[in-house]
Amino acid sequence: MLRKRSPLVICGAFIFVAWNVVLLFVLMRRPSSPGTFNNQDKPGETEHRAEGGKFGNIMNEVIRVADAFEAELAAQKKILQQIQSHWSVWDSKDGVIPEKSKSEVEHTAPVVIPILVIACNRVTVKRCLDKLIEHRPSAELHPIIVSQDCGHRETSDVIGSYGSQLTHIKQPDLSDVAVPPQHKKFQGYYKISRHYKWALSQVFNTFSYSSVVVVEDDLEVAPDFFEYFRALHPMLKSDPTLWCVSAWNDNGRDGFVDPGKASLLYRTDFFPGLGWMLTKDLWAELEPKWPASFWDDWMRHPDQRKDRSCIRPEISRTLTFGRKGVSLGQFYDKYLRFIKLNTEFVPFTKMDLSYLEKEKYDESFEKEVYAASLVTLEDLKSGKLSGSGPFRVQYSSPDSFKSLARNLGVMDDLKSGVPRAGYRGAVSFLLRGKRVYLAPPAGWSRYDPSWS
């Protein structure tokens, strides 16, 4: 790129210098104003005054020329600066930012965070797209890319009806995936994993975006969905202990979240999905080993998670309305249909979110959990506990966790030993207006992947 620009730069510099030389020559050759003499002066005095007047006029002309030359140089300098600024923009559009201005551009240019909608054969994708477009603050900062698998014509027509409001791409390989005989009934999961890999590769490798928010076609987004991700984008980029930001709380059913704390955010060791942001750097790590199927459970394995966490909200910023799908409504009727979608706009970009930094968060979280009163399941159900908590219920094995979770009404499955919405083994939720932590004993150190 720099080699291509070199002749242009040399030519521009030559023209700039030549123009100023010609300008100086013209100004110096301009005739001076004729002097005026008093007819009554004596010849000697007239000659002396003429010489003095001539010298004075020459000095005045030199000063005038110098002033004019200085003013012209200032104007030319301003023009040159404008050319340089436009050159920086031209280069940045070609993917090359001059080294001196790179940090400046990174700090001043607003980041573009596209939304990738994974679609297949649901014409109800319209509900998802309508809400994304309704709440989108800027089409330039949040372009919508809909990646469609399945080749379903009616769904394709719905997506195409949005015209220039989005970009519609289609997964080219619609063939069946070769699966082990015992996995024939899971063909859909294999196709989904293949589609995710292709779509994410398009976003990062073809469109060259640096991050993306992934949304499935059966999700409705909250009014502050975009605000939430914009605010957390810098933290995701800079904190190596984070690997995703999710809009979803697995235990976010109405009655299990605090409606007065729409701004409350958590770190979680569980990969939530369902509206999540990742970076190009993470994709470069995951793409070479992307699984043939069950990609979300694969993400929850220690080999991928690597002790990294996600950010998740107290109140979900997405709501799933798709009961039908390859999962055949697993968890939908019991949990997912009751998830509370946030309706209050929270100005996250204007808030101090430094409390989510790992060192600060871990210290505060452990104090909050283990300073809470230790109670039993019976205590919580009796209704005799006073105050809003927090209270702690303790588990010590996968069986005791599952039993307590079921009785308390929160999701009871473990993935590689990690409970849904859990952090350092503890799950936070509201029960009858009281803050409760379902937590392991104090001194917790690590997850046991056999707890699955």
Side-chain angles (χ1 to χ4, degrees):
M1 179 60 66
L2 290 177
R3 289 178 182 174
K4 292 179 182 178
R5 297 292 185 198
S6 295
L8 180 61
V9 174
I10 293 171
C11 181
F14 175 78
I15 294 171
F16 178 75
V17 172
W19 164 250
N20 284 288
V21 169
V22 171
L23 177 67
L24 179 61
F25 178 77
V26 170
L27 289 173
M28 290 299 292
R29 293 287 295 171
R30 289 180 62 182
S32 59
S33 303
T36 57
F37 302 103
N38 189 335
N39 292 332
Q40 296 180 357
D41 287 339
K42 297 178 181 179
E45 291 175 353
T46 301
E47 184 178 339
H48 177 74
R49 290 188 181 186
E51 288 178 358
K54 185 176 181 181
F55 178 75
N57 288 335
I58 290 174
M59 288 302 296
N60 289 336
E61 185 67 17
V62 168
I63 292 172
R64 188 186 65 78
V65 168
D67 289 341
F69 184 60
E70 184 179 357
E72 188 63 28
L73 278 179
Q76 293 296 319
K77 181 180 179 182
K78 185 176 180 180
I79 293 171
L80 185 58
Q81 287 173 338
Q82 291 174 346
I83 292 172
Q84 288 175 330
S85 67
H86 286 301
W87 182 24
S88 297
V89 173
W90 295 334
D91 278 340
S92 65
K93 285 182 179 178
D94 289 333
V96 177
I97 297 174
E99 206 60 42
K100 289 183 180 179
S101 62
K102 184 180 290 185
S103 60
E104 184 177 301
V105 170
E106 288 175 351
H107 283 89
T108 58
V111 64
V112 176
I113 307 175
I115 310 299
L116 172 64
V117 180
I118 301 293
C120 181
N121 58 0
R122 291 186 178 115
V123 293
T124 52
V125 67
K126 177 176 171 54
R127 177 175 169 182
C128 170
L129 296 176
D130 283 348
K131 287 298 180 181
L132 282 170
I133 292 170
E134 177 185 344
H135 298 312
R136 178 170 63 171
S138 165
E140 290 72 28
L141 297 181
H142 297 287
I144 297 171
I145 302 168
V146 183
S147 180
Q148 187 189 0
D149 199 0
C150 309
H152 190 250
R153 184 171 179 176
E154 289 79 2
T155 301
S156 180
D157 289 344
V158 170
I159 298 167
S161 69
Y162 287 87
S164 62
Q165 295 181 91
L166 53 78
T167 299
H168 185 190
I169 60 176
K170 297 180 180 181
Q171 212 290 75
D173 186 359
L174 303 181
S175 64
D176 284 343
V177 181
V179 302
Q182 66 272 26
H183 277 194
K184 276 191 175 182
K185 64 180 180 179
F186 299 129
Q187 175 75 218
Y189 288 100
Y190 280 80
K191 287 187 174 183
I192 288 173
S193 191
R194 178 178 67 184
H195 184 196
Y196 261 86
K197 182 176 183 179
W198 181 83
L200 286 168
S201 295
Q202 293 298 304
V203 168
F204 290 122
N205 303 334
T206 302
F207 294 113
S208 298
Y209 288 113
S210 61
S211 60
V212 68
V213 177
V214 184
V215 173
E216 295 191 359
D217 58 358
D218 61 347
L219 291 181
E220 178 180 329
V221 303
D224 58 355
F225 174 86
F226 292 93
E227 174 79 0
Y228 172 74
F229 283 108
R230 287 203 75 81
L232 290 165
H233 180 268
M235 186 173 290
L236 178 62
K237 293 281 286 185
S238 63
D239 187 346
T241 69
L242 293 176
W243 72 322
C244 91
V245 175
S246 174
W248 183 259
N249 176 3
D250 277 292
N251 291 312
R253 289 186 296 156
D254 202 4
F256 287 79
V257 294
D258 189 339
K261 293 188 176 179
S263 64
L264 181 59
L265 307 179
Y266 298 83
R267 293 178 74 104
T268 177
D269 296 322
F270 191 88
F271 172 72
L274 295 174
W276 59 288
M277 179 166 61
L278 73 157
T279 65
K280 188 172 186 176
D281 288 342
L282 179 62
W283 180 241
E285 175 190 324
L286 299 178
E287 182 181 18
K289 55 179 182 175
W290 191 255
S293 64
F294 307 108
W295 70 269
D296 48 351
D297 282 345
W298 175 83
M299 290 279 287
R300 293 160 183 152
H301 192 275
D303 289 349
Q304 279 65 251
R305 193 172 71 82
K306 297 181 179 178
D307 292 325
R308 293 173 292 192
S309 303
C310 296
I311 301 296
R312 60 102 174 166
E314 167 79 357
I315 304 176
S316 290
R317 263 61 187 185
T318 53
L319 171 71
T320 178
F321 55 84
R323 185 183 185 279
K324 293 181 180 180
V326 294
S327 65
L328 302 177
Q330 184 186 27
F331 298 131
Y332 185 82
D333 290 330
K334 189 174 181 181
Y335 295 104
L336 305 184
R337 63 180 293 196
F338 300 108
I339 293 293
K340 179 179 174 61
L341 180 68
N342 182 61
T343 56
E344 173 191 343
F345 186 91
V346 177
F348 286 112
T349 56
K350 298 178 181 178
M351 297 172 62
D352 181 6
L353 301 178
S354 62
Y355 70 91
L356 292 167
E357 294 169 3
K358 182 173 174 57
E359 189 173 342
K360 291 180 184 179
Y361 189 87
D362 285 4
E363 182 180 356
S364 173
F365 187 77
E366 287 200 35
K367 284 181 180 178
E368 170 85 2
V369 172
Y370 293 102
S373 300
L374 182 62
V375 299
T376 65
L377 177 64
E378 290 69 26
D379 292 332
L380 283 173
K381 288 195 165 185
S382 69
K384 295 179 180 179
L385 295 174
S386 60
S388 58
F391 300 101
R392 175 166 52 97
V393 183
Q394 187 167 291
Y395 69 89
S396 56
S397 68
D399 289 339
S400 65
F401 173 82
K402 286 179 175 292
S403 176
L404 287 166
R406 286 171 186 161
N407 278 282
L408 292 167
V410 296
M411 297 190 78
D412 65 354
D413 58 327
L414 299 159
K415 302 289 185 180
S416 297
V418 184
R420 288 183 183 268
Y423 186 69
R424 298 184 63 82
V427 179
S428 173
F429 57 96
L430 217 63
L431 185 69
R432 298 175 184 172
K434 304 180 187 301
R435 178 60 58 183
V436 177
Y437 293 103
L438 179 55
W444 179 95
S445 59
R446 64 182 181 84
Y447 293 105
D448 184 345
S450 69
W451 287 26
S452 293

